[in-house]
Amino acid sequence: MKGVIFDVDGVIVDVKESYHLAIKMTAEAFLGHEVDLDTVRAIKFGKGINNDWIATREVIKYFGKEIEIEEIISVFNRIYRQVRDKEKLILDGKFFSYLKTQNIPLGILTGRPKEDLEYTFKRFGLFEYFDFILDDDQISVEELKKPHPFALHLCIESMNLSACAYVGDSKADWEMVNSYRKMYEKSVKYVHFGQNVKVDGVITVNAPDELALTLQEVLKHL
């Protein structure tokens, strides 16, 4: 059976005013001066950083300061939970309902912690559309977390898929799929969604309707 696995941030949920803002505000709390949001995004996407705590550390380092990750996590989580209700859906229930009518199994592979994912999915009523969900907390070994291809392998095997498309929005997503192809045998096609960063040589779409049609076409040829 062929299915589709989705990233969450930047694909299903617009996080420009939540996670990206939390990176900015956390960095500012440690640096003591304003940080431009475009600089935050350039560092996160330019370096292909999947984890926003690490992205925050890199922003702080960019301005010449070193802060322990535990301190960053504590401040970041507090700030994120103050702004997370600013999140908006990019892909909504109508989009996923349509794919389900095509009998396509749907999964989630995200770097979000469990609590953050559950809050957002309950808020938007998204749980019902997915056959399997893998969040960051479900992989205990740090080195095997997304974007390591083991996370994608675990998702594919748990869904009992023979092949799949993975929808992401970053270099880290593309690198995970590319690494998977080198380590595992099943066919996976990467579909890049949105304009956060340009990834050359891959299928790129920018709108939900276009994505739905593209996914069906990709699955036909897997």
Side-chain angles (χ1 to χ4, degrees):
M1 186 174 289
K2 302 172 185 178
V4 181
I5 300 172
F6 293 85
D7 182 26
V8 173
D9 300 338
V11 175
I12 297 175
V13 181
D14 185 338
V15 296
K16 293 185 182 72
E17 297 301 318
S18 61
Y19 276 119
H20 296 180
L21 188 60
I23 296 172
K24 166 185 162 70
M25 294 173 68
T26 303
E28 289 172 345
F30 288 107
L31 293 168
H33 62 75
E34 187 174 357
V35 175
D36 184 73
L37 199 51
D38 287 339
T39 300
V40 167
R41 290 174 180 145
I43 292 169
K44 175 177 169 61
F45 290 108
K47 292 191 173 187
I49 303 171
N50 182 65
N51 185 298
D52 285 334
W53 299 330
I54 295 173
T56 305
R57 185 176 65 185
E58 289 301 308
V59 171
I60 293 169
K61 284 174 66 176
Y62 176 82
F63 289 98
K65 197 168 185 178
E66 296 275 355
I67 302 293
E68 292 295 326
I69 194 68
E70 291 77 15
E71 294 181 68
I72 291 171
I73 290 170
S74 177
V75 175
F76 182 96
N77 287 350
R78 174 176 53 79
I79 291 174
Y80 168 70
R81 284 161 193 168
Q82 292 172 353
V83 299
R84 63 185 176 183
D85 284 342
K86 293 184 178 184
E87 292 178 347
K88 300 174 184 177
L89 284 183
I90 301 171
L91 305 178
D92 58 15
K94 182 180 178 182
F95 173 88
F96 295 114
S97 292
Y98 173 75
L99 292 183
K100 296 299 281 186
T101 65
Q102 309 303 305
N103 297 313
I104 300 172
L106 305 180
I108 291 290
L109 170 53
T110 178
R112 277 194 181 220
K114 184 180 183 67
E115 197 277 339
D116 291 353
L117 181 72
E118 288 187 345
Y119 180 89
T120 298
F121 270 43
K122 286 177 182 176
R123 179 182 170 221
F124 290 119
L126 294 175
F127 276 115
E128 64 180 286
Y129 301 109
F130 298 98
D131 302 284
F132 183 76
I133 293 174
L134 186 64
D135 61 55
D136 194 62
D137 293 342
Q138 289 172 270
I139 299 179
S140 58
V141 179
E142 192 68 33
E143 292 77 12
L144 296 180
K145 292 177 182 286
K146 184 188 173 186
H148 192 284
F150 173 78
L152 182 57
H153 168 70
L154 181 57
C155 208
I156 290 170
E157 296 307 311
S158 297
M159 294 175 69
N160 197 28
L161 299 178
S162 58
C164 79
Y166 183 81
V167 184
D169 75 319
S170 68
K171 290 180 180 178
D173 291 327
W174 159 236
E175 288 166 3
M176 177 182 68
V177 172
N178 202 33
S179 296
Y180 175 91
R181 292 170 177 164
K182 297 173 182 177
M183 294 179 64
Y184 302 99
E185 72 283 357
K186 292 184 178 178
S187 180
V188 178
K189 188 75 172 181
Y190 178 68
V191 178
H192 189 73
F193 185 65
Q195 299 176 321
N196 283 327
V197 64
K198 183 179 179 181
V199 179
D200 294 326
V202 300
I203 299 169
T204 300
V205 295
N206 296 308
D209 289 348
E210 182 187 7
L211 178 61
L213 295 174
T214 297
L215 289 173
Q216 292 175 82
E217 193 64 27
V218 165
L219 293 179
K220 285 179 186 177
H221 295 93
L222 277 174

